Amino acid sequence: MSGRRSATRRRRPFLVALLAAVGSLLGIAAVVAVVASVFVGSLASSYDRDTDTIADAFPSGDRPTRSDDALDVLLIGSDSRSSLDPDGDHAAGGRSDTLMLAHVPADRRSVQLMSIMRDSWVDVPGHGTAKINAAYAWGGVPLTVQTVEQLLDVRIDHVAEIDFAGFAGMTDAVGGVTVQAPTAFTARGHHFDAGANRLDGDAALAFVRERYSFADADHTRVRNQQAFMRGIVDGLLSKGTITDPGRIRDFVAATSRYLSVDAGLDSGTLLRLGWSLRHVTPTDLQTFTMPTAGGGTAPDGQSFVIVNDGAVQTLSAALRSDDLTHWLATNPH
């Protein structure tokens, strides 16, 4: 009996220590879970508080049929101006200087980001043919959505509008972004080399806005904007960002100040979408430009970009059937 009691006493400290260690680990896990939920909750609160809601973001009347599982989000980079652009754009009022369609497939294994040339010559409902960015000046977000839906015959599920100044804030919040420039150029006091460039906020803003340095103008401009978006995704998914709550908080705060979204794109929707895309990596982001077919000149003398109607018809079918990855493989850009 004495020997068994002695053995029991010898084992007890190990068992107590093991139970204490397990308890501590469970306690730490619980604390981490609580802290994480509070942090995510505070981010959600910040997003909902600081992000503006676009009133009547979508057009009334008949619209394309909604997809069951895939999502199409229209991203608008706007530049509100009360007078003519001093940089020579000669556009009075607000214009949608950047239009991108983000397609999120039903399987959530990738994201396709398509640029729409802002000078694309299209039918703007109620106004006749014009450059697509005129839709924003004439009817704001609802007319822009209606124009894109009519062009692509695809329903826009959500819309997000960001002022160009937000590009600088997003960049600084993630500690800068690295972009791949297709060609060297100098713009707004910044020089960019062909290849990799590490940008701060001011340089990023110059990078995404410049068009007059290029022989093909907006064609290189949209490629630079796509490069910037890939740089932002790389920065957000980098170890230095995802392990730094402060940097994530700064990014949400910097973005929210310049962001307006439809009423359905609240923090809860974003969190669910983000969770469904948790396995997506930067290499799963595909960027391209809506097919064009050269340029033209309107009767009033303004130049525009001709839409490649045949290619856009097949693109539209691929979007509706959620088969954009296959379309990109057979229609390289």
Side-chain angles (χ1 to χ4, degrees), residues 163-179 187-190 192 197-210 228 232 251 254 258:
D163 188 274
F164 261 111
F167 285 64
M170 287 191 294
T171 302
D172 288 333
V174 296
V177 299
T178 298
V179 299
R188 296 173 171 83
H190 299 275
F192 305 95
N197 295 263
R198 185 70 179 175
L199 309 182
D200 62 10
D202 288 341
L205 189 56
F207 184 77
V208 299
R209 295 194 66 171
E210 182 59 22
F228 171 77
I232 283 291
F251 179 83
Y258 300 100

PDB file of all heavy atoms in Angstrom, residues 163-179 187-190 192 197-210 228 232 251 254 258:
ATOM      1  N   ASP A 163     -13.121  57.144 -54.052  1.00  0.00           N
ATOM      2  CA  ASP A 163     -12.463  58.340 -54.557  1.00  0.00           C
ATOM      3  C   ASP A 163     -10.988  58.028 -54.787  1.00  0.00           C
ATOM      4  O   ASP A 163     -10.382  57.237 -54.063  1.00  0.00           O
ATOM      5  CB  ASP A 163     -12.611  59.485 -53.563  1.00  0.00           C
ATOM      6  CG  ASP A 163     -12.122  60.804 -54.121  1.00  0.00           C
ATOM      7  OD1 ASP A 163     -10.905  61.071 -54.010  1.00  0.00           O
ATOM      8  OD2 ASP A 163     -12.931  61.563 -54.661  1.00  0.00           O
ATOM      9  N   PHE A 164     -10.392  58.654 -55.797  1.00  0.00           N
ATOM     10  CA  PHE A 164      -9.001  58.356 -56.121  1.00  0.00           C
ATOM     11  C   PHE A 164      -8.069  58.578 -54.930  1.00  0.00           C
ATOM     12  O   PHE A 164      -7.048  57.899 -54.793  1.00  0.00           O
ATOM     13  CB  PHE A 164      -8.530  59.209 -57.302  1.00  0.00           C
ATOM     14  CG  PHE A 164      -8.567  58.473 -58.608  1.00  0.00           C
ATOM     15  CD1 PHE A 164      -9.490  58.818 -59.584  1.00  0.00           C
ATOM     16  CD2 PHE A 164      -7.707  57.427 -58.869  1.00  0.00           C
ATOM     17  CE1 PHE A 164      -9.528  58.141 -60.788  1.00  0.00           C
ATOM     18  CE2 PHE A 164      -7.737  56.735 -60.063  1.00  0.00           C
ATOM     19  CZ  PHE A 164      -8.657  57.100 -61.034  1.00  0.00           C
ATOM     20  N   ALA A 165      -8.393  59.514 -54.068  1.00  0.00           N
ATOM     21  CA  ALA A 165      -7.535  59.757 -52.908  1.00  0.00           C
ATOM     22  C   ALA A 165      -7.416  58.514 -52.036  1.00  0.00           C
ATOM     23  O   ALA A 165      -6.422  58.331 -51.326  1.00  0.00           O
ATOM     24  CB  ALA A 165      -8.088  60.923 -52.089  1.00  0.00           C
ATOM     25  N   GLY A 166      -8.423  57.642 -52.103  1.00  0.00           N
ATOM     26  CA  GLY A 166      -8.364  56.415 -51.320  1.00  0.00           C
ATOM     27  C   GLY A 166      -7.280  55.471 -51.772  1.00  0.00           C
ATOM     28  O   GLY A 166      -6.802  54.649 -50.980  1.00  0.00           O
ATOM     29  N   PHE A 167      -6.842  55.572 -53.036  1.00  0.00           N
ATOM     30  CA  PHE A 167      -5.760  54.727 -53.505  1.00  0.00           C
ATOM     31  C   PHE A 167      -4.483  54.999 -52.712  1.00  0.00           C
ATOM     32  O   PHE A 167      -3.740  54.085 -52.363  1.00  0.00           O
ATOM     33  CB  PHE A 167      -5.506  54.956 -54.996  1.00  0.00           C
ATOM     34  CG  PHE A 167      -6.534  54.325 -55.894  1.00  0.00           C
ATOM     35  CD1 PHE A 167      -7.855  54.749 -55.864  1.00  0.00           C
ATOM     36  CD2 PHE A 167      -6.196  53.318 -56.772  1.00  0.00           C
ATOM     37  CE1 PHE A 167      -8.809  54.182 -56.688  1.00  0.00           C
ATOM     38  CE2 PHE A 167      -7.138  52.744 -57.606  1.00  0.00           C
ATOM     39  CZ  PHE A 167      -8.453  53.175 -57.565  1.00  0.00           C
ATOM     40  N   ALA A 168      -4.243  56.280 -52.427  1.00  0.00           N
ATOM     41  CA  ALA A 168      -3.059  56.640 -51.648  1.00  0.00           C
ATOM     42  C   ALA A 168      -3.178  56.135 -50.219  1.00  0.00           C
ATOM     43  O   ALA A 168      -2.220  55.589 -49.651  1.00  0.00           O
ATOM     44  CB  ALA A 168      -2.873  58.158 -51.656  1.00  0.00           C
ATOM     45  N   GLY A 169      -4.355  56.297 -49.616  1.00  0.00           N
ATOM     46  CA  GLY A 169      -4.548  55.841 -48.250  1.00  0.00           C
ATOM     47  C   GLY A 169      -4.396  54.343 -48.103  1.00  0.00           C
ATOM     48  O   GLY A 169      -3.779  53.852 -47.148  1.00  0.00           O
ATOM     49  N   MET A 170      -4.942  53.573 -49.046  1.00  0.00           N
ATOM     50  CA  MET A 170      -4.813  52.119 -49.003  1.00  0.00           C
ATOM     51  C   MET A 170      -3.346  51.699 -49.084  1.00  0.00           C
ATOM     52  O   MET A 170      -2.902  50.791 -48.375  1.00  0.00           O
ATOM     53  CB  MET A 170      -5.580  51.482 -50.157  1.00  0.00           C
ATOM     54  CG  MET A 170      -7.085  51.504 -50.010  1.00  0.00           C
ATOM     55  SD  MET A 170      -7.901  50.452 -51.249  1.00  0.00           S
ATOM     56  CE  MET A 170      -7.497  51.320 -52.758  1.00  0.00           C
ATOM     57  N   THR A 171      -2.610  52.374 -49.955  1.00  0.00           N
ATOM     58  CA  THR A 171      -1.201  52.026 -50.156  1.00  0.00           C
ATOM     59  C   THR A 171      -0.393  52.236 -48.892  1.00  0.00           C
ATOM     60  O   THR A 171       0.378  51.358 -48.468  1.00  0.00           O
ATOM     61  CB  THR A 171      -0.608  52.865 -51.304  1.00  0.00           C
ATOM     62  OG1 THR A 171      -1.369  52.632 -52.493  1.00  0.00           O
ATOM     63  CG2 THR A 171       0.849  52.502 -51.549  1.00  0.00           C
ATOM     64  N   ASP A 172      -0.541  53.396 -48.285  1.00  0.00           N
ATOM     65  CA  ASP A 172       0.224  53.688 -47.071  1.00  0.00           C
ATOM     66  C   ASP A 172      -0.196  52.777 -45.923  1.00  0.00           C
ATOM     67  O   ASP A 172       0.641  52.412 -45.077  1.00  0.00           O
ATOM     68  CB  ASP A 172       0.044  55.156 -46.677  1.00  0.00           C
ATOM     69  CG  ASP A 172       0.777  56.104 -47.623  1.00  0.00           C
ATOM     70  OD1 ASP A 172       1.775  55.678 -48.229  1.00  0.00           O
ATOM     71  OD2 ASP A 172       0.345  57.265 -47.752  1.00  0.00           O
ATOM     72  N   ALA A 173      -1.474  52.394 -45.885  1.00  0.00           N
ATOM     73  CA  ALA A 173      -1.961  51.566 -44.778  1.00  0.00           C
ATOM     74  C   ALA A 173      -1.337  50.178 -44.778  1.00  0.00           C
ATOM     75  O   ALA A 173      -1.164  49.568 -43.718  1.00  0.00           O
ATOM     76  CB  ALA A 173      -3.486  51.453 -44.839  1.00  0.00           C
ATOM     77  N   VAL A 174      -0.981  49.652 -45.958  1.00  0.00           N
ATOM     78  CA  VAL A 174      -0.344  48.328 -46.014  1.00  0.00           C
ATOM     79  C   VAL A 174       1.174  48.440 -46.090  1.00  0.00           C
ATOM     80  O   VAL A 174       1.862  47.451 -46.343  1.00  0.00           O
ATOM     81  CB  VAL A 174      -0.869  47.481 -47.196  1.00  0.00           C
ATOM     82  CG1 VAL A 174      -2.343  47.187 -47.029  1.00  0.00           C
ATOM     83  CG2 VAL A 174      -0.594  48.164 -48.532  1.00  0.00           C
ATOM     84  N   GLY A 175       1.695  49.644 -45.856  1.00  0.00           N
ATOM     85  CA  GLY A 175       3.141  49.824 -45.838  1.00  0.00           C
ATOM     86  C   GLY A 175       3.769  49.936 -47.207  1.00  0.00           C
ATOM     87  O   GLY A 175       4.966  49.677 -47.376  1.00  0.00           O
ATOM     88  N   GLY A 176       2.970  50.331 -48.213  1.00  0.00           N
ATOM     89  CA  GLY A 176       3.471  50.447 -49.573  1.00  0.00           C
ATOM     90  C   GLY A 176       3.148  49.215 -50.390  1.00  0.00           C
ATOM     91  O   GLY A 176       2.886  48.143 -49.844  1.00  0.00           O
ATOM     92  N   VAL A 177       3.131  49.376 -51.715  1.00  0.00           N
ATOM     93  CA  VAL A 177       2.849  48.250 -52.598  1.00  0.00           C
ATOM     94  C   VAL A 177       3.927  48.166 -53.673  1.00  0.00           C
ATOM     95  O   VAL A 177       4.537  49.168 -54.053  1.00  0.00           O
ATOM     96  CB  VAL A 177       1.463  48.372 -53.273  1.00  0.00           C
ATOM     97  CG1 VAL A 177       0.354  48.407 -52.242  1.00  0.00           C
ATOM     98  CG2 VAL A 177       1.389  49.599 -54.174  1.00  0.00           C
ATOM     99  N   THR A 178       4.141  46.959 -54.160  1.00  0.00           N
ATOM    100  CA  THR A 178       5.054  46.735 -55.276  1.00  0.00           C
ATOM    101  C   THR A 178       4.233  46.479 -56.519  1.00  0.00           C
ATOM    102  O   THR A 178       3.344  45.620 -56.518  1.00  0.00           O
ATOM    103  CB  THR A 178       5.978  45.546 -55.002  1.00  0.00           C
ATOM    104  OG1 THR A 178       6.783  45.828 -53.846  1.00  0.00           O
ATOM    105  CG2 THR A 178       6.902  45.289 -56.188  1.00  0.00           C
ATOM    106  N   VAL A 179       4.513  47.244 -57.580  1.00  0.00           N
ATOM    107  CA  VAL A 179       3.787  47.083 -58.843  1.00  0.00           C
ATOM    108  C   VAL A 179       4.774  46.774 -59.957  1.00  0.00           C
ATOM    109  O   VAL A 179       5.951  47.133 -59.877  1.00  0.00           O
ATOM    110  CB  VAL A 179       2.991  48.356 -59.201  1.00  0.00           C
ATOM    111  CG1 VAL A 179       1.955  48.667 -58.126  1.00  0.00           C
ATOM    112  CG2 VAL A 179       3.922  49.555 -59.401  1.00  0.00           C
ATOM    113  N   ALA A 187       5.643  60.898 -64.106  1.00  0.00           N
ATOM    114  CA  ALA A 187       4.351  61.578 -63.994  1.00  0.00           C
ATOM    115  C   ALA A 187       4.211  62.209 -62.626  1.00  0.00           C
ATOM    116  O   ALA A 187       4.535  61.579 -61.610  1.00  0.00           O
ATOM    117  CB  ALA A 187       3.210  60.588 -64.225  1.00  0.00           C
ATOM    118  N   ARG A 188       3.769  63.448 -62.596  1.00  0.00           N
ATOM    119  CA  ARG A 188       3.436  64.148 -61.354  1.00  0.00           C
ATOM    120  C   ARG A 188       4.575  64.094 -60.340  1.00  0.00           C
ATOM    121  O   ARG A 188       4.373  63.872 -59.150  1.00  0.00           O
ATOM    122  CB  ARG A 188       2.145  63.577 -60.764  1.00  0.00           C
ATOM    123  CG  ARG A 188       0.910  63.797 -61.649  1.00  0.00           C
ATOM    124  CD  ARG A 188      -0.310  63.058 -61.108  1.00  0.00           C
ATOM    125  NE  ARG A 188      -1.525  63.420 -61.821  1.00  0.00           N
ATOM    126  CZ  ARG A 188      -1.928  62.891 -62.980  1.00  0.00           C
ATOM    127  NH1 ARG A 188      -1.201  61.953 -63.547  1.00  0.00           N
ATOM    128  NH2 ARG A 188      -3.038  63.285 -63.555  1.00  0.00           N
ATOM    129  N   GLY A 189       5.801  64.270 -60.836  1.00  0.00           N
ATOM    130  CA  GLY A 189       6.966  64.327 -59.968  1.00  0.00           C
ATOM    131  C   GLY A 189       7.522  62.981 -59.551  1.00  0.00           C
ATOM    132  O   GLY A 189       8.426  62.914 -58.721  1.00  0.00           O
ATOM    133  N   HIS A 190       7.002  61.890 -60.114  1.00  0.00           N
ATOM    134  CA  HIS A 190       7.466  60.546 -59.767  1.00  0.00           C
ATOM    135  C   HIS A 190       7.970  59.846 -61.023  1.00  0.00           C
ATOM    136  O   HIS A 190       7.356  59.942 -62.085  1.00  0.00           O
ATOM    137  CB  HIS A 190       6.347  59.724 -59.138  1.00  0.00           C
ATOM    138  CG  HIS A 190       5.814  60.295 -57.866  1.00  0.00           C
ATOM    139  ND1 HIS A 190       6.394  60.060 -56.647  1.00  0.00           N
ATOM    140  CD2 HIS A 190       4.741  61.105 -57.640  1.00  0.00           C
ATOM    141  CE1 HIS A 190       5.709  60.691 -55.702  1.00  0.00           C
ATOM    142  NE2 HIS A 190       4.703  61.331 -56.276  1.00  0.00           N
ATOM    143  N   PHE A 192       8.916  56.130 -62.715  1.00  0.00           N
ATOM    144  CA  PHE A 192       8.635  54.711 -62.577  1.00  0.00           C
ATOM    145  C   PHE A 192       9.458  53.940 -63.603  1.00  0.00           C
ATOM    146  O   PHE A 192       9.444  54.275 -64.790  1.00  0.00           O
ATOM    147  CB  PHE A 192       7.144  54.437 -62.789  1.00  0.00           C
ATOM    148  CG  PHE A 192       6.250  55.251 -61.897  1.00  0.00           C
ATOM    149  CD1 PHE A 192       5.706  56.452 -62.355  1.00  0.00           C
ATOM    150  CD2 PHE A 192       5.979  54.845 -60.607  1.00  0.00           C
ATOM    151  CE1 PHE A 192       4.885  57.211 -61.536  1.00  0.00           C
ATOM    152  CE2 PHE A 192       5.155  55.603 -59.776  1.00  0.00           C
ATOM    153  CZ  PHE A 192       4.613  56.789 -60.247  1.00  0.00           C
ATOM    154  N   ASN A 197       8.371  48.309 -59.049  1.00  0.00           N
ATOM    155  CA  ASN A 197       8.496  49.596 -58.384  1.00  0.00           C
ATOM    156  C   ASN A 197       7.801  49.514 -57.032  1.00  0.00           C
ATOM    157  O   ASN A 197       6.672  49.022 -56.942  1.00  0.00           O
ATOM    158  CB  ASN A 197       7.823  50.711 -59.192  1.00  0.00           C
ATOM    159  CG  ASN A 197       8.493  50.972 -60.525  1.00  0.00           C
ATOM    160  OD1 ASN A 197       9.299  51.878 -60.651  1.00  0.00           O
ATOM    161  ND2 ASN A 197       8.140  50.176 -61.540  1.00  0.00           N
ATOM    162  N   ARG A 198       8.480  49.986 -55.990  1.00  0.00           N
ATOM    163  CA  ARG A 198       7.870  50.032 -54.663  1.00  0.00           C
ATOM    164  C   ARG A 198       7.303  51.428 -54.458  1.00  0.00           C
ATOM    165  O   ARG A 198       8.029  52.427 -54.537  1.00  0.00           O
ATOM    166  CB  ARG A 198       8.922  49.723 -53.588  1.00  0.00           C
ATOM    167  CG  ARG A 198       8.365  49.629 -52.165  1.00  0.00           C
ATOM    168  CD  ARG A 198       7.503  48.394 -51.997  1.00  0.00           C
ATOM    169  NE  ARG A 198       6.987  48.269 -50.645  1.00  0.00           N
ATOM    170  CZ  ARG A 198       6.124  47.331 -50.261  1.00  0.00           C
ATOM    171  NH1 ARG A 198       5.691  46.439 -51.141  1.00  0.00           N
ATOM    172  NH2 ARG A 198       5.686  47.264 -49.018  1.00  0.00           N
ATOM    173  N   LEU A 199       5.982  51.504 -54.201  1.00  0.00           N
ATOM    174  CA  LEU A 199       5.304  52.788 -54.174  1.00  0.00           C
ATOM    175  C   LEU A 199       4.742  53.119 -52.801  1.00  0.00           C
ATOM    176  O   LEU A 199       4.214  52.244 -52.106  1.00  0.00           O
ATOM    177  CB  LEU A 199       4.137  52.784 -55.174  1.00  0.00           C
ATOM    178  CG  LEU A 199       4.420  52.337 -56.610  1.00  0.00           C
ATOM    179  CD1 LEU A 199       3.148  52.457 -57.432  1.00  0.00           C
ATOM    180  CD2 LEU A 199       5.553  53.138 -57.220  1.00  0.00           C
ATOM    181  N   ASP A 200       4.855  54.414 -52.440  1.00  0.00           N
ATOM    182  CA  ASP A 200       4.094  54.914 -51.301  1.00  0.00           C
ATOM    183  C   ASP A 200       2.777  55.483 -51.844  1.00  0.00           C
ATOM    184  O   ASP A 200       2.478  55.388 -53.034  1.00  0.00           O
ATOM    185  CB  ASP A 200       4.886  55.950 -50.507  1.00  0.00           C
ATOM    186  CG  ASP A 200       5.230  57.196 -51.311  1.00  0.00           C
ATOM    187  OD1 ASP A 200       4.706  57.362 -52.446  1.00  0.00           O
ATOM    188  OD2 ASP A 200       6.011  58.030 -50.816  1.00  0.00           O
ATOM    189  N   GLY A 201       1.977  56.073 -50.971  1.00  0.00           N
ATOM    190  CA  GLY A 201       0.655  56.528 -51.379  1.00  0.00           C
ATOM    191  C   GLY A 201       0.661  57.554 -52.498  1.00  0.00           C
ATOM    192  O   GLY A 201      -0.090  57.441 -53.476  1.00  0.00           O
ATOM    193  N   ASP A 202       1.495  58.592 -52.389  1.00  0.00           N
ATOM    194  CA  ASP A 202       1.537  59.635 -53.409  1.00  0.00           C
ATOM    195  C   ASP A 202       1.970  59.076 -54.758  1.00  0.00           C
ATOM    196  O   ASP A 202       1.414  59.424 -55.808  1.00  0.00           O
ATOM    197  CB  ASP A 202       2.496  60.760 -52.983  1.00  0.00           C
ATOM    198  CG  ASP A 202       1.935  61.604 -51.854  1.00  0.00           C
ATOM    199  OD1 ASP A 202       0.699  61.565 -51.653  1.00  0.00           O
ATOM    200  OD2 ASP A 202       2.720  62.297 -51.178  1.00  0.00           O
ATOM    201  N   ALA A 203       2.979  58.213 -54.749  1.00  0.00           N
ATOM    202  CA  ALA A 203       3.449  57.611 -55.998  1.00  0.00           C
ATOM    203  C   ALA A 203       2.377  56.701 -56.593  1.00  0.00           C
ATOM    204  O   ALA A 203       2.195  56.657 -57.815  1.00  0.00           O
ATOM    205  CB  ALA A 203       4.734  56.833 -55.753  1.00  0.00           C
ATOM    206  N   ALA A 204       1.660  55.975 -55.733  1.00  0.00           N
ATOM    207  CA  ALA A 204       0.604  55.087 -56.222  1.00  0.00           C
ATOM    208  C   ALA A 204      -0.488  55.883 -56.920  1.00  0.00           C
ATOM    209  O   ALA A 204      -1.009  55.469 -57.968  1.00  0.00           O
ATOM    210  CB  ALA A 204       0.021  54.279 -55.070  1.00  0.00           C
ATOM    211  N   LEU A 205      -0.845  57.028 -56.364  1.00  0.00           N
ATOM    212  CA  LEU A 205      -1.878  57.854 -56.968  1.00  0.00           C
ATOM    213  C   LEU A 205      -1.442  58.341 -58.342  1.00  0.00           C
ATOM    214  O   LEU A 205      -2.224  58.326 -59.306  1.00  0.00           O
ATOM    215  CB  LEU A 205      -2.194  59.037 -56.056  1.00  0.00           C
ATOM    216  CG  LEU A 205      -3.403  59.897 -56.430  1.00  0.00           C
ATOM    217  CD1 LEU A 205      -4.656  59.046 -56.544  1.00  0.00           C
ATOM    218  CD2 LEU A 205      -3.598  61.008 -55.399  1.00  0.00           C
ATOM    219  N   ALA A 206      -0.182  58.759 -58.461  1.00  0.00           N
ATOM    220  CA  ALA A 206       0.342  59.181 -59.766  1.00  0.00           C
ATOM    221  C   ALA A 206       0.372  58.006 -60.739  1.00  0.00           C
ATOM    222  O   ALA A 206       0.064  58.152 -61.931  1.00  0.00           O
ATOM    223  CB  ALA A 206       1.744  59.763 -59.593  1.00  0.00           C
ATOM    224  N   PHE A 207       0.709  56.833 -60.241  1.00  0.00           N
ATOM    225  CA  PHE A 207       0.833  55.638 -61.074  1.00  0.00           C
ATOM    226  C   PHE A 207      -0.504  55.254 -61.694  1.00  0.00           C
ATOM    227  O   PHE A 207      -0.581  54.924 -62.882  1.00  0.00           O
ATOM    228  CB  PHE A 207       1.388  54.498 -60.229  1.00  0.00           C
ATOM    229  CG  PHE A 207       1.660  53.230 -60.979  1.00  0.00           C
ATOM    230  CD1 PHE A 207       2.784  53.108 -61.782  1.00  0.00           C
ATOM    231  CD2 PHE A 207       0.807  52.140 -60.877  1.00  0.00           C
ATOM    232  CE1 PHE A 207       3.052  51.928 -62.477  1.00  0.00           C
ATOM    233  CE2 PHE A 207       1.056  50.962 -61.556  1.00  0.00           C
ATOM    234  CZ  PHE A 207       2.184  50.862 -62.362  1.00  0.00           C
ATOM    235  N   VAL A 208      -1.584  55.274 -60.915  1.00  0.00           N
ATOM    236  CA  VAL A 208      -2.877  54.802 -61.429  1.00  0.00           C
ATOM    237  C   VAL A 208      -3.598  55.857 -62.263  1.00  0.00           C
ATOM    238  O   VAL A 208      -4.498  55.521 -63.039  1.00  0.00           O
ATOM    239  CB  VAL A 208      -3.806  54.335 -60.284  1.00  0.00           C
ATOM    240  CG1 VAL A 208      -3.177  53.189 -59.519  1.00  0.00           C
ATOM    241  CG2 VAL A 208      -4.160  55.483 -59.343  1.00  0.00           C
ATOM    242  N   ARG A 209      -3.213  57.123 -62.139  1.00  0.00           N
ATOM    243  CA  ARG A 209      -3.935  58.171 -62.848  1.00  0.00           C
ATOM    244  C   ARG A 209      -3.326  58.530 -64.194  1.00  0.00           C
ATOM    245  O   ARG A 209      -4.023  59.035 -65.073  1.00  0.00           O
ATOM    246  CB  ARG A 209      -4.011  59.431 -61.981  1.00  0.00           C
ATOM    247  CG  ARG A 209      -4.820  59.272 -60.720  1.00  0.00           C
ATOM    248  CD  ARG A 209      -5.143  60.599 -60.077  1.00  0.00           C
ATOM    249  NE  ARG A 209      -6.037  61.391 -60.929  1.00  0.00           N
ATOM    250  CZ  ARG A 209      -6.613  62.517 -60.538  1.00  0.00           C
ATOM    251  NH1 ARG A 209      -6.378  62.991 -59.334  1.00  0.00           N
ATOM    252  NH2 ARG A 209      -7.405  63.172 -61.342  1.00  0.00           N
ATOM    253  N   GLU A 210      -2.033  58.285 -64.371  1.00  0.00           N
ATOM    254  CA  GLU A 210      -1.352  58.793 -65.563  1.00  0.00           C
ATOM    255  C   GLU A 210      -1.825  58.105 -66.844  1.00  0.00           C
ATOM    256  O   GLU A 210      -1.993  56.892 -66.895  1.00  0.00           O
ATOM    257  CB  GLU A 210       0.164  58.627 -65.408  1.00  0.00           C
ATOM    258  CG  GLU A 210       0.965  59.171 -66.578  1.00  0.00           C
ATOM    259  CD  GLU A 210       0.732  60.650 -66.833  1.00  0.00           C
ATOM    260  OE1 GLU A 210       0.294  61.374 -65.899  1.00  0.00           O
ATOM    261  OE2 GLU A 210       0.990  61.095 -67.955  1.00  0.00           O
ATOM    262  N   PHE A 228      -1.648  47.758 -59.938  1.00  0.00           N
ATOM    263  CA  PHE A 228      -1.836  48.306 -58.590  1.00  0.00           C
ATOM    264  C   PHE A 228      -2.759  47.412 -57.756  1.00  0.00           C
ATOM    265  O   PHE A 228      -2.475  47.134 -56.586  1.00  0.00           O
ATOM    266  CB  PHE A 228      -2.413  49.721 -58.673  1.00  0.00           C
ATOM    267  CG  PHE A 228      -2.840  50.269 -57.339  1.00  0.00           C
ATOM    268  CD1 PHE A 228      -1.894  50.749 -56.440  1.00  0.00           C
ATOM    269  CD2 PHE A 228      -4.172  50.295 -56.972  1.00  0.00           C
ATOM    270  CE1 PHE A 228      -2.284  51.248 -55.203  1.00  0.00           C
ATOM    271  CE2 PHE A 228      -4.568  50.792 -55.742  1.00  0.00           C
ATOM    272  CZ  PHE A 228      -3.621  51.268 -54.855  1.00  0.00           C
ATOM    273  N   ILE A 232      -1.954  45.629 -54.233  1.00  0.00           N
ATOM    274  CA  ILE A 232      -2.743  45.756 -53.003  1.00  0.00           C
ATOM    275  C   ILE A 232      -3.097  44.381 -52.445  1.00  0.00           C
ATOM    276  O   ILE A 232      -2.998  44.132 -51.230  1.00  0.00           O
ATOM    277  CB  ILE A 232      -4.029  46.574 -53.273  1.00  0.00           C
ATOM    278  CG1 ILE A 232      -3.701  48.064 -53.360  1.00  0.00           C
ATOM    279  CG2 ILE A 232      -5.063  46.344 -52.178  1.00  0.00           C
ATOM    280  CD1 ILE A 232      -3.283  48.699 -52.054  1.00  0.00           C
ATOM    281  N   PHE A 251      -5.812  49.887 -42.607  1.00  0.00           N
ATOM    282  CA  PHE A 251      -6.290  49.717 -43.976  1.00  0.00           C
ATOM    283  C   PHE A 251      -7.800  49.918 -44.042  1.00  0.00           C
ATOM    284  O   PHE A 251      -8.295  50.616 -44.933  1.00  0.00           O
ATOM    285  CB  PHE A 251      -5.923  48.328 -44.498  1.00  0.00           C
ATOM    286  CG  PHE A 251      -6.402  48.077 -45.904  1.00  0.00           C
ATOM    287  CD1 PHE A 251      -5.661  48.522 -46.983  1.00  0.00           C
ATOM    288  CD2 PHE A 251      -7.589  47.408 -46.135  1.00  0.00           C
ATOM    289  CE1 PHE A 251      -6.097  48.313 -48.286  1.00  0.00           C
ATOM    290  CE2 PHE A 251      -8.035  47.190 -47.431  1.00  0.00           C
ATOM    291  CZ  PHE A 251      -7.289  47.642 -48.505  1.00  0.00           C
ATOM    292  N   ALA A 254      -8.498  53.633 -43.528  1.00  0.00           N
ATOM    293  CA  ALA A 254      -8.086  54.454 -44.670  1.00  0.00           C
ATOM    294  C   ALA A 254      -9.021  54.257 -45.853  1.00  0.00           C
ATOM    295  O   ALA A 254      -9.331  55.208 -46.578  1.00  0.00           O
ATOM    296  CB  ALA A 254      -6.654  54.110 -45.064  1.00  0.00           C
ATOM    297  N   TYR A 258     -13.019  56.817 -47.887  1.00  0.00           N
ATOM    298  CA  TYR A 258     -13.177  57.198 -49.286  1.00  0.00           C
ATOM    299  C   TYR A 258     -14.134  56.281 -50.038  1.00  0.00           C
ATOM    300  O   TYR A 258     -14.244  56.372 -51.260  1.00  0.00           O
ATOM    301  CB  TYR A 258     -11.811  57.161 -49.992  1.00  0.00           C
ATOM    302  CG  TYR A 258     -10.798  58.096 -49.375  1.00  0.00           C
ATOM    303  CD1 TYR A 258      -9.826  57.620 -48.485  1.00  0.00           C
ATOM    304  CD2 TYR A 258     -10.803  59.446 -49.667  1.00  0.00           C
ATOM    305  CE1 TYR A 258      -8.896  58.467 -47.919  1.00  0.00           C
ATOM    306  CE2 TYR A 258      -9.875  60.310 -49.100  1.00  0.00           C
ATOM    307  CZ  TYR A 258      -8.921  59.810 -48.227  1.00  0.00           C
ATOM    308  OH  TYR A 258      -7.996  60.657 -47.652  1.00  0.00           O
TER     309      TYR A 258
END
